[in-house]
Amino acid sequence: MREADAIHPGPALTAARSLSDYFPSLKGTPGDTPVYVYAGATEGGNVLIIGGTHPNEPAGFVTSVMLIENIRAVRGKIVIVPQANASGFTHSDPQEGSPQRFPIATAAGQRWFRLGSRVTNPIHQWPDPTIYVNPTGQTLAGIEARNLNRAYPGKAGGNLTEKVAFGIMELIKKERIDLGIDLHESAPEYPVINAIVFHENSADLAATAQMELQAEGFEFRLEASPPNLRGLSHREWGDVAGIRAILMETPNASHGRLKGKPSVELIIDGKDKFYEKAARLGRLFVPFGPDGIPLKNRVARHLAGLKAVLSGLKELDPGKAVEVEDLPPADRVRVEGIGAFLR
Amino acid sequence: MDMHRPAEIILTILFFGLIAGSYLAAQTPPPPVFEQPLLVTSAGQSSGDAQIALQLAKRAALAATLSKTGTGKDLENQKTLVLVLGASMKGLGSAGLDTNKEKERIRELVAEAKKKNIPILAMHLGGGQRRGELTDEIINEFLPAAKMAIILKSGNQDGLFTKICKAKDIPLIEVDKSLDAVEPLKKIFKR
């Protein structure tokens, strides 16, 4: 887990940066992380896509890598942070027995991706407080002090996780981001799943995207970001930075509580007999059959969701439209697999 | 030459024509019965579904306003009330409402609509994912107050909407996808 994941940007990459370029205090720390910029020749909006906020939710990370290795911006700008909590990728959750990495076969050979922890590595940020008071003043359980998605809008002089959150807010400001999209996964027993969570300033965008997705055969729930649940990307990006904010969730059995043996197969194939039984008992919020919910389908959902959100942005706010080419098509990813779209 | 063949052909055409006619009659919305402007609110705080209803209304070029926690007072100057049926625990918590308070709000709204002679259009746009004990309570209590209902087919797999609408003589329009509701909306509202 000490070896960084290899990411091979496509030829249309405009600039490769680091989060510390936006917030220098992160330079040389385990919180610094790569940032990839794709700018089109035509003026448009600016969109931020974040993966790896929670490094134990691989679909968000892998989707971001696929974008980095494939897309070409035609209009506007796309900024991608594939491993938002870089420290979280350097360890796994204690006593979970999770694999440290998983393979994906590509035409160029096998690629490995790390499966990390939901939170910052305790070696990089310790100790946890008994009660964590996040930058908005909300009190949370102590471990949440290391959860990037409770740390927004961050603090320049805060703990490492808060500094990373602050760095992302600086990036939003300096890149003049109009829309932020945070890619996540959730356990099949959690109600906010197969969902688009939206800040109230993005309700029209979320609804427009959901209708397009439904027309293409993808069912997504719409969930409004609760105004009193503070420190999350879909709340603070909207409230503090004033940008449109969307978070997407796909169903991941490998980090749920009902799973059987944690394994590479569970991450990739997404099959689990205990989840099957839970589905039969009506305890899940997504269908879960013998075929499971494989990573390629979860990544395909994120890709379809991104396409629909970008299309919705163009429809609702044409001046802020962002157009990309070579976005891996969701239907092909489901059939050909993730490796077919990796370098 | 087989003398029966022309008769068989005519009968076949008539038979399939009848079936097609019945199907079209079931899918064709009734003439315009609602007027603009319309107030959209969720019954159950599924705010995402209410937002979809608002976007559908906009696509149908209708003058619509969304109110998350609308009351009878918000019906001033409105000519149609759109109740988007569906409970969301997250939405209820976010709005600071419990189930009873939300039902009280909708009861008051429906009573005021009746008093003001404002017809109610019920919608259910969450499909099978937006069904469950609480949503079903809301459907059972408030769908009978509607003058018409537009729903996603996937939310009616057990026939609950069909049963209530049949019993209360409420025209029911079922669509496969939310976007398919735009055309019926255009037709049931007066211009």
Side-chain angles (χ1 to χ4, degrees):
Chain A
M1 300 196 83
R2 293 169 189 274
E3 195 180 322
D5 304 275
I7 297 176
H8 309 292
L13 177 74
T14 311
R17 298 191 180 123
S18 294
L19 196 56
S20 58
D21 293 334
Y22 303 91
F23 180 44
S25 283
L26 286 171
K27 188 94 181 160
T29 74
D32 203 2
T33 193
V35 175
Y36 300 85
V37 182
Y38 294 81
T42 315
E43 281 285 306
N46 301 318
V47 171
L48 170 66
I49 298 171
I50 295 248
T53 291
H54 292 149
N56 62 338
E57 300 170 12
F61 170 41
V62 172
T63 303
S64 306
V65 175
M66 285 173 82
L67 297 176
I68 291 163
E69 299 195 4
N70 288 278
I71 64 164
R72 189 167 73 84
V74 176
R75 181 179 177 191
K77 180 171 67 185
I78 292 217
V79 180
I80 305 168
V81 184
Q83 293 176 294
N85 187 352
S87 167
F89 280 89
T90 62
H91 73 132
S92 54
D93 290 319
Q95 299 184 328
E96 285 289 318
S98 300
Q100 295 190 343
R101 56 184 194 157
F102 54 93
I104 292 178
T106 73
Q110 189 157 263
R111 298 257 306 258
W112 288 90
F113 294 89
R114 282 181 293 175
L115 181 82
S117 162
R118 179 178 173 83
V119 293
T120 301
N121 193 329
I123 287 177
H124 302 144
Q125 183 183 313
W126 187 259
D128 290 342
T130 307
I131 295 170
Y132 172 51
V133 182
N134 79 2
T136 71
Q138 189 149 71
T139 53
L140 299 158
I143 192 172
E144 301 290 6
R146 289 184 283 128
N147 182 349
L148 176 58
N149 207 25
R150 298 296 181 275
Y152 289 106
K155 261 189 212 168
N159 63 39
L160 180 66
T161 313
E162 291 167 342
K163 282 181 178 170
V164 172
F166 186 82
I168 290 170
M169 297 300 282
E170 288 294 290
L171 182 159
I172 287 171
K173 205 191 305 174
K174 289 170 184 168
E175 293 288 357
R176 295 160 64 197
I177 297 295
D178 302 298
L179 161 67
I181 305 169
D182 194 5
L183 302 177
H184 283 250
E185 296 205 87
S186 52
E189 67 271 28
Y190 183 61
V192 182
I193 195 161
N194 275 351
I196 296 175
V197 185
F198 59 91
H199 188 277
E200 56 270 19
N201 70 14
S202 306
D204 54 348
L205 177 60
T208 303
Q210 194 268 3
M211 289 190 289
E212 184 177 321
L213 284 160
Q214 190 181 61
E216 289 177 10
F218 290 95
E219 288 295 340
F220 272 76
R221 283 183 177 84
L222 286 186
E223 298 286 354
S225 168
N228 47 1
L229 185 55
R230 305 296 307 274
L232 291 94
S233 57
H234 50 76
R235 171 55 38 204
E236 308 306 334
W237 290 358
D239 282 6
V240 179
I243 64 167
R244 286 180 180 267
I246 294 271
L247 181 148
M248 293 196 286
E249 299 271 15
T250 59
N252 172 22
S254 75
H255 84 282
R257 305 319 307 158
L258 307 181
K259 66 178 182 286
K261 183 186 170 190
S263 64
V264 162
E265 291 74 26
L266 181 57
I267 296 165
I268 293 173
D269 301 330
K271 294 179 186 173
D272 185 280
K273 64 181 177 184
F274 298 104
Y275 270 111
E276 269 185 74
K277 185 170 183 183
R280 285 197 299 275
L281 294 171
R283 300 293 183 189
L284 303 184
F285 291 88
V286 283
F288 201 104
D291 293 336
I293 307 177
L295 182 60
K296 64 179 181 179
N297 288 7
R298 285 139 51 199
V299 167
R301 282 189 77 85
H302 273 330
L303 290 166
L306 289 170
K307 180 170 168 263
V309 170
L310 292 182
S311 158
L313 183 66
K314 187 179 175 185
E315 179 183 331
L316 296 168
D317 197 350
K320 300 288 183 193
V322 171
E323 292 175 40
V324 294
E325 286 182 349
D326 299 329
L327 184 74
D331 52 347
R332 281 186 57 200
V333 172
R334 282 193 292 194
V335 175
E336 297 170 37
I338 294 163
F341 296 91
L342 290 177
R343 290 171 182 273
Chain B
M1 188 180 171
D2 184 353
M3 294 300 286
H4 294 288
R5 188 157 296 273
E8 279 172 11
I9 290 168
I10 290 165
L11 277 173
T12 307
I13 290 168
L14 281 173
F15 176 71
F16 284 109
L18 199 63
I19 287 176
S22 317
Y23 176 77
L24 284 174
Q27 293 299 308
T28 306
V33 290
F34 296 104
E35 290 181 70
Q36 305 177 54
L38 47 145
L39 181 75
V40 179
T41 193
S42 164
Q45 292 303 316
S46 53
S47 55
D49 296 351
Q51 186 61 230
I52 291 171
L54 180 70
Q55 295 305 318
L56 291 170
K58 283 185 180 172
R59 283 174 189 233
L62 302 174
T65 311
L66 176 66
S67 175
K68 272 176 83 172
T69 51
T71 63
K73 283 179 196 163
D74 297 306
L75 287 173
E76 207 61 48
N77 303 319
Q78 299 291 339
K79 292 194 171 165
T80 298
L81 171 63
V82 178
L83 281 185
V84 185
L85 309 172
S88 161
M89 295 311 292
K90 192 168 183 167
L92 285 165
S94 171
L97 294 166
D98 62 20
T99 310
N100 290 332
K101 278 185 189 163
E102 174 67 350
K103 283 184 181 170
E104 272 310 310
R105 180 182 75 86
I106 303 301
R107 279 182 201 125
E108 189 264 340
L109 198 54
V110 168
E112 191 64 21
K114 264 188 191 166
K115 206 165 110 186
K116 289 188 156 77
N117 248 342
I118 295 173
I120 296 170
L121 170 65
M123 299 184 86
H124 182 260
L125 300 168
Q129 294 192 114
R130 193 70 75 190
R131 285 287 306 276
E133 197 177 336
L134 186 51
T135 294
D136 288 4
E137 281 176 26
I138 286 167
I139 293 167
N140 280 307
E141 180 167 351
F142 299 112
L143 178 58
K147 191 167 184 179
M148 192 181 291
I150 299 179
I151 64 162
L152 277 190
K153 267 183 199 160
S154 58
N156 192 26
Q157 285 177 348
D158 60 353
L160 178 64
F161 287 93
T162 310
K163 190 177 134 196
I164 296 172
C165 288
K166 205 170 175 185
K168 298 288 177 185
D169 202 20
I170 301 166
L172 174 66
I173 299 169
E174 290 186 84
V175 292
D176 288 319
K177 294 160 195 148
S178 302
L179 283 171
D180 297 339
V182 174
E183 286 308 311
L185 280 172
K186 282 180 185 169
K187 287 174 185 159
I188 62 175
F189 277 87
K190 290 177 187 166
R191 296 287 158 179

Coordinates of all heavy atoms in Angstrom, one line a residue, chain A residues 95-141:
Chain A
Q95 N -9.0 -4.7 11.3 CA -9.9 -5.8 11.7 C -11.0 -6.1 10.6 O -11.9 -6.9 10.9 CB -10.6 -5.6 13.0 CG -9.5 -5.5 14.2 CD -10.1 -5.3 15.5 OE1 -11.2 -4.7 15.7 NE2 -9.5 -5.8 16.5
E96 N -10.8 -5.5 9.5 CA -11.8 -5.8 8.4 C -11.3 -6.9 7.5 O -12.1 -7.6 6.8 CB -12.0 -4.5 7.5 CG -12.9 -3.5 8.2 CD -14.3 -3.9 8.3 OE1 -14.9 -4.5 7.4 OE2 -14.9 -3.7 9.4
G97 N -10.0 -7.1 7.4 CA -9.5 -8.2 6.6 C -9.7 -7.9 5.1 O -9.7 -8.8 4.3
S98 N -9.8 -6.6 4.8 CA -10.0 -6.2 3.3 C -8.7 -6.4 2.5 O -7.6 -6.2 3.1 CB -10.4 -4.7 3.2 OG -11.6 -4.5 3.9
P99 N -8.8 -6.8 1.3 CA -7.6 -6.9 0.4 C -7.0 -5.5 0.3 O -7.8 -4.5 0.4 CB -8.2 -7.3 -0.9 CG -9.5 -7.8 -0.7 CD -10.0 -7.1 0.5
Q100 N -5.7 -5.4 0.1 CA -5.1 -4.1 0.0 C -5.2 -3.5 -1.4 O -5.0 -2.3 -1.6 CB -3.6 -4.2 0.5 CG -3.5 -4.5 2.0 CD -2.1 -4.4 2.5 OE1 -1.2 -4.4 1.7 NE2 -2.0 -4.4 3.8
R101 N -5.4 -4.4 -2.4 CA -5.5 -3.9 -3.7 C -6.3 -4.9 -4.6 O -6.5 -6.1 -4.1 CB -4.1 -3.7 -4.3 CG -3.2 -4.9 -4.3 CD -1.8 -4.6 -4.8 NE -1.1 -5.9 -5.0 CZ -0.1 -6.0 -5.8 NH1 0.4 -5.0 -6.5 NH2 0.5 -7.2 -6.0
F102 N -6.6 -4.5 -5.8 CA -7.4 -5.4 -6.6 C -6.9 -5.2 -8.1 O -6.5 -4.1 -8.5 CB -8.9 -5.2 -6.5 CG -9.3 -3.7 -6.8 CD1 -9.7 -3.3 -8.1 CD2 -9.3 -2.8 -5.8 CE1 -10.1 -2.0 -8.3 CE2 -9.7 -1.5 -6.0 CZ -10.1 -1.1 -7.2
P103 N -6.9 -6.3 -8.9 CA -6.4 -6.2 -10.2 C -7.4 -6.0 -11.3 O -8.6 -6.4 -11.1 CB -5.8 -7.6 -10.5 CG -6.7 -8.5 -9.7 CD -7.3 -7.7 -8.5
I104 N -7.1 -5.3 -12.4 CA -7.9 -5.2 -13.5 C -7.1 -5.5 -14.8 O -6.0 -4.9 -15.0 CB -8.6 -3.8 -13.6 CG1 -9.5 -3.6 -12.4 CG2 -9.3 -3.5 -14.9 CD1 -10.2 -2.3 -12.3
A105 N -7.6 -6.4 -15.5 CA -6.8 -6.8 -16.7 C -7.0 -5.8 -17.9 O -8.2 -5.4 -18.1 CB -7.3 -8.2 -17.2
T106 N -6.0 -5.4 -18.5 CA -6.1 -4.5 -19.6 C -5.3 -5.1 -20.8 O -4.5 -6.1 -20.6 CB -5.4 -3.1 -19.3 OG1 -4.0 -3.3 -19.3 CG2 -5.9 -2.6 -18.0
A107 N -5.4 -4.5 -22.0 CA -4.7 -5.0 -23.2 C -3.2 -4.9 -22.9 O -2.4 -5.7 -23.5 CB -5.1 -4.1 -24.4
A108 N -2.8 -4.0 -22.1 CA -1.3 -3.8 -21.8 C -0.8 -4.6 -20.6 O 0.3 -4.5 -20.2 CB -1.0 -2.3 -21.6
G109 N -1.7 -5.4 -20.1 CA -1.3 -6.2 -18.9 C -2.2 -5.9 -17.7 O -3.1 -5.0 -17.8
Q110 N -1.9 -6.6 -16.6 CA -2.7 -6.4 -15.4 C -2.3 -5.1 -14.7 O -1.2 -4.8 -14.5 CB -2.5 -7.6 -14.5 CG -3.4 -7.6 -13.3 CD -3.6 -9.0 -12.8 OE1 -4.5 -9.7 -13.1 NE2 -2.7 -9.4 -12.0
R111 N -3.4 -4.3 -14.3 CA -3.1 -3.1 -13.5 C -3.7 -3.4 -12.1 O -4.7 -4.1 -11.9 CB -3.9 -1.9 -14.1 CG -3.5 -1.5 -15.5 CD -2.7 -0.3 -15.5 NE -3.3 0.9 -14.8 CZ -3.8 1.9 -15.5 NH1 -4.0 1.9 -16.8 NH2 -4.3 2.9 -14.8
W112 N -3.0 -2.8 -11.1 CA -3.4 -2.9 -9.7 C -3.9 -1.6 -9.2 O -3.3 -0.6 -9.5 CB -2.3 -3.5 -8.8 CG -2.0 -4.9 -9.1 CD1 -1.1 -5.4 -10.0 CD2 -2.6 -6.0 -8.5 NE1 -1.1 -6.7 -10.0 CE2 -2.0 -7.2 -9.0 CE3 -3.6 -6.2 -7.5 CZ2 -2.3 -8.5 -8.7 CZ3 -3.9 -7.5 -7.1 CH2 -3.3 -8.6 -7.7
F113 N -5.0 -1.6 -8.4 CA -5.5 -0.4 -7.8 C -5.6 -0.7 -6.3 O -6.1 -1.8 -5.8 CB -6.9 -0.1 -8.3 CG -6.8 0.3 -9.8 CD1 -6.9 -0.6 -10.8 CD2 -6.7 1.6 -10.1 CE1 -6.9 -0.3 -12.1 CE2 -6.6 2.0 -11.5 CZ -6.7 1.1 -12.4
R114 N -5.3 0.3 -5.5 CA -5.3 0.1 -4.0 C -6.8 0.3 -3.5 O -7.5 1.1 -4.0 CB -4.5 1.2 -3.3 CG -3.0 0.8 -3.4 CD -2.2 1.8 -2.6 NE -2.2 3.1 -3.3 CZ -1.6 4.2 -2.8 NH1 -1.0 4.2 -1.7 NH2 -1.7 5.4 -3.5
L115 N -7.1 -0.5 -2.5 CA -8.4 -0.3 -1.8 C -8.0 0.2 -0.4 O -7.3 -0.5 0.3 CB -9.1 -1.7 -1.7 CG -10.4 -1.6 -0.9 CD1 -11.5 -1.1 -1.9 CD2 -10.9 -2.9 -0.3
G116 N -8.3 1.4 -0.1 CA -7.9 2.0 1.1 C -9.0 2.0 2.2 O -9.9 1.1 2.2
S117 N -8.9 2.9 3.1 CA -9.8 3.1 4.2 C -10.7 4.3 3.9 O -10.4 5.2 3.2 CB -9.0 3.3 5.5 OG -9.8 3.8 6.5
R118 N -11.9 4.3 4.6 CA -12.8 5.4 4.5 C -12.1 6.7 5.1 O -12.5 7.8 4.6 CB -14.0 5.0 5.4 CG -15.1 6.1 5.4 CD -16.3 5.6 6.2 NE -17.3 6.6 6.5 CZ -18.3 6.9 5.6 NH1 -18.3 6.3 4.5 NH2 -19.1 7.8 5.9
V119 N -11.2 6.5 5.9 CA -10.6 7.7 6.6 C -9.1 7.8 6.5 O -8.4 6.9 6.1 CB -11.0 7.7 8.2 CG1 -12.5 7.8 8.4 CG2 -10.5 6.4 8.8
T120 N -8.6 9.0 6.8 CA -7.2 9.3 6.8 C -6.4 8.3 7.7 O -6.9 7.8 8.7 CB -7.0 10.7 7.3 OG1 -7.7 11.6 6.5 CG2 -5.5 11.1 7.3
N121 N -5.2 8.0 7.2 CA -4.3 7.0 8.0 C -4.0 7.6 9.3 O -3.5 8.8 9.4 CB -3.0 6.8 7.1 CG -2.2 5.7 7.6 OD1 -2.2 5.3 8.8 ND2 -1.5 5.0 6.7
P122 N -4.2 6.8 10.4 CA -3.9 7.4 11.8 C -2.4 7.7 12.0 O -2.1 8.5 12.8 CB -4.4 6.3 12.7 CG -4.5 5.0 11.9 CD -4.8 5.5 10.5
I123 N -1.6 7.1 11.1 CA -0.1 7.4 11.2 C 0.1 8.9 10.8 O 0.9 9.6 11.3 CB 0.7 6.5 10.3 CG1 0.8 5.1 11.0 CG2 2.1 7.0 10.1 CD1 1.5 4.1 10.2
H124 N -0.8 9.4 9.9 CA -0.7 10.8 9.4 C -1.5 11.8 10.3 O -1.3 13.0 10.2 CB -1.2 10.8 8.0 CG -0.4 9.9 7.1 ND1 -1.0 9.3 6.0 CD2 0.9 9.6 7.1 CE1 -0.1 8.5 5.4 NE2 1.0 8.7 6.0
Q125 N -2.5 11.3 11.0 CA -3.3 12.2 11.8 C -3.8 11.4 13.1 O -4.6 10.5 13.0 CB -4.5 12.6 11.0 CG -5.4 13.6 11.8 CD -6.6 14.0 11.0 OE1 -6.5 14.4 9.8 NE2 -7.8 14.1 11.6
W126 N -3.2 11.8 14.2 CA -3.5 11.1 15.5 C -3.2 12.0 16.6 O -2.3 12.9 16.5 CB -2.6 9.8 15.6 CG -2.9 9.0 16.7 CD1 -2.2 8.9 17.9 CD2 -4.0 8.1 16.8 NE1 -2.8 8.0 18.8 CE2 -4.0 7.5 18.1 CE3 -5.1 7.7 16.0 CZ2 -4.9 6.6 18.6 CZ3 -6.0 6.8 16.4 CH2 -5.9 6.2 17.7
P127 N -4.0 11.9 17.7 CA -5.1 11.0 18.0 C -6.4 11.5 17.5 O -6.5 12.7 17.2 CB -5.0 10.9 19.5 CG -4.6 12.3 20.0 CD -3.6 12.7 18.9
D128 N -7.4 10.7 17.5 CA -8.8 11.2 17.3 C -9.3 11.8 18.5 O -9.0 11.3 19.6 CB -9.7 10.0 16.9 CG -9.4 9.4 15.5 OD1 -8.7 10.1 14.7 OD2 -9.8 8.3 15.2
P129 N -10.0 12.9 18.4 CA -10.6 13.4 19.6 C -11.8 12.5 20.1 O -12.3 11.7 19.3 CB -11.2 14.8 19.1 CG -11.4 14.6 17.7 CD -10.4 13.6 17.2
T130 N -12.2 12.7 21.3 CA -13.4 12.0 21.8 C -14.6 12.4 21.0 O -15.4 11.6 20.5 CB -13.6 12.2 23.3 OG1 -12.4 12.0 23.9 CG2 -14.7 11.3 23.8
I131 N -14.8 13.7 20.9 CA -15.9 14.2 20.0 C -15.2 15.2 19.0 O -14.4 16.0 19.4 CB -16.9 15.0 20.9 CG1 -17.6 14.0 21.9 CG2 -17.9 15.8 20.0 CD1 -18.4 14.7 22.9
Y132 N -15.5 15.0 17.8 CA -15.0 15.9 16.7 C -15.9 17.0 16.5 O -17.1 16.8 16.2 CB -14.7 15.0 15.5 CG -14.3 15.9 14.3 CD1 -13.2 16.8 14.3 CD2 -15.0 15.7 13.0 CE1 -12.8 17.5 13.2 CE2 -14.6 16.5 11.9 CZ -13.5 17.3 12.0 OH -13.1 18.1 10.9
V133 N -15.4 18.2 16.6 CA -16.1 19.4 16.2 C -15.6 19.8 14.8 O -14.4 20.3 14.7 CB -16.0 20.6 17.2 CG1 -16.8 21.8 16.8 CG2 -16.3 20.1 18.6
N134 N -16.4 19.7 13.8 CA -15.9 19.9 12.4 C -15.9 21.4 12.1 O -16.3 22.2 12.9 CB -16.6 19.1 11.4 CG -18.0 19.6 11.0 OD1 -18.4 20.7 11.4 ND2 -18.7 18.9 10.1
P135 N -15.3 21.8 11.0 CA -15.1 23.3 10.7 C -16.4 24.1 10.7 O -16.4 25.3 10.9 CB -14.4 23.3 9.4 CG -13.7 22.0 9.3 CD -14.6 21.0 10.0
T136 N -17.5 23.4 10.6 CA -18.8 24.2 10.6 C -19.3 24.3 12.1 O -20.4 24.9 12.3 CB -19.9 23.5 9.8 OG1 -20.3 22.3 10.4 CG2 -19.4 23.2 8.4
G137 N -18.7 23.6 13.0 CA -19.1 23.6 14.4 C -20.0 22.4 14.8 O -20.5 22.3 15.9
Q138 N -20.2 21.5 13.8 CA -21.1 20.3 14.1 C -20.3 19.3 14.9 O -19.1 19.1 14.6 CB -21.6 19.7 12.8 CG -22.6 18.6 13.0 CD -23.6 18.5 11.9 OE1 -23.3 18.1 10.8 NE2 -24.9 19.0 12.2
T139 N -20.9 18.7 15.9 CA -20.2 17.7 16.7 C -20.5 16.3 16.1 O -21.6 16.0 15.8 CB -20.6 17.7 18.2 OG1 -22.0 17.7 18.2 CG2 -20.1 19.0 18.9
L140 N -19.4 15.5 16.0 CA -19.5 14.2 15.4 C -18.6 13.2 16.2 O -17.9 13.6 17.1 CB -19.0 14.2 14.0 CG -19.7 15.1 13.0 CD1 -18.8 15.5 11.8 CD2 -21.0 14.4 12.5
A141 N -18.8 11.9 16.0 CA -17.9 10.9 16.6 C -16.5 11.2 16.3 O -16.1 11.7 15.2 CB -18.3 9.5 16.2

